Amino acid sequence: DIQMTQSPASLSASPEEIVTITCQASQDIGNWLAWYQQKPGKSPQLLIYSATSLADGIPSRFSGSRSGTQYSLKISRLQVEDTGIYYCLQRYSNPPTFGGGTKLELK
Amino acid sequence: QVQLKESGPGLVQPSQTLSLTCTVSGFSLTSNSVHWVRQPPGKGLEWVGAIWSGGSTDYNSALKSRLSISRDTSKSQVFLKMNSLQTEDTAIYFCTSGWDFDYWGQGVMVTVSS
């Protein structure tokens, strides 16, 4: 199975700051990487697909990038509503595997 | 619009069988796959298994011996059955669809306890 190592496990940032979350794949997964946001008591919401494409209705302050087997989610101009837990997911091969999650809190 | 909704018992006794249903609307099961993902309380997401548009299935290897996923296309329903339940199977169970898991149900909490 492909392992997705996500970091950091948690972070705290101030409104308007820029934050970056990364996922390291254990092997090449091409651009088969998605990012999700999950708020307490809710199901995950797709933010980014194909590593860099913004999902419908997602604010442009969210962006994704790739460097080799490392994938990043950047949130520019952090807003209060961006608190939650973020997960990456690889869909390159079965089984699909998630990163361990990053809990984002605002100061 | 695309919708998925999970249903099933909230409480299951240890060693018993879990039966969950995912009822979908806004798309056809013969054209789209449906996956099950679970989340233990306070923990991360774990892929459980999938039924593909052609009806074939894939399962998490750690659960494969206890798991079965099937569907009724006429009712737009997907079924998950997991036997020999243990306390570590306590989780929220989600069904999701779309290649990038675009669409999710609200989830159903399943507690394994006597």
Side-chain angles (χ1 to χ4, degrees):
Chain A
D1 297 0
I2 296 175
Q3 305 302 313
M4 301 300 298
T5 303
Q6 187 170 341
S7 61
S10 64
L11 76 155
S12 181
S14 299
E16 300 298 320
E17 274 192 45
I18 299 173
V19 299
T20 300
I21 299 167
T22 64
C23 268
Q24 178 70 48
S26 60
Q27 65 184 73
D28 178 35
I29 60 169
N31 284 332
W32 297 102
L33 190 284
W35 291 97
Y36 302 85
Q37 177 196 63
Q38 186 179 31
K39 291 187 174 290
K42 300 294 186 181
S43 52
Q45 180 184 19
L46 178 67
L47 301 174
I48 300 286
Y49 64 96
S50 298
T52 61
S53 298
L54 196 64
D56 290 345
I58 302 302
S60 59
R61 64 178 182 275
F62 291 91
S63 63
S65 63
R66 170 194 174 189
S67 176
T69 57
Q70 180 167 289
Y71 300 79
S72 298
L73 173 70
K74 185 171 82 171
I75 311 173
S76 306
R77 303 188 321 276
L78 201 61
Q79 305 294 304
V80 172
E81 60 266 29
D82 297 335
T83 58
I85 302 178
Y86 292 79
Y87 295 94
C88 64
L89 167 72
Q90 71 79 19
R91 286 301 310 275
Y92 177 78
S93 68
N94 281 330
T97 44
F98 291 92
T102 296
K103 186 174 184 178
L104 173 61
E105 296 177 328
L106 263 70
K107 293 179 182 175
Chain B
Q1 72 277 27
V2 173
Q3 291 185 323
L4 301 93
K5 186 173 183 179
E6 306 87 348
S7 58
L11 181 66
V12 180
Q13 293 197 341
S15 79
Q16 297 302 300
T17 297
L18 171 67
S19 295
L20 297 177
T21 299
C22 175
T23 302
V24 310
S25 59
F27 68 95
S28 169
L29 293 178
T30 58
S31 300
N32 297 273
S33 60
V34 170
H35 297 247
W36 289 93
V37 172
R38 70 180 183 178
Q39 185 171 38
K43 297 189 177 182
L45 301 166
E46 178 185 33
W47 181 79
V48 173
I51 187 162
W52 303 95
S53 57
S56 62
T57 53
D58 278 311
Y59 302 126
N60 183 315
S61 58
L63 305 172
K64 190 172 185 176
S65 63
R66 303 191 289 131
L67 185 61
S68 174
I69 297 175
S70 60
R71 69 184 185 183
D72 183 334
T73 56
S74 67
K75 295 183 178 179
S76 293
Q77 292 181 323
V78 174
F79 309 105
L80 177 150
K81 289 190 188 302
M82 187 183 302
N83 59 32
S84 304
L85 248 60
Q86 302 301 319
T87 55
E88 51 265 34
D89 295 312
T90 293
I92 300 172
Y93 287 74
F94 298 98
C95 56
T96 175
S97 188
W99 180 256
D100 293 300
F101 293 0
D102 311 57
Y103 309 101
W104 294 70
Q106 84 277 12
V108 60
M109 180 68 206
V110 175
T111 302
V112 182
S113 175
S114 55

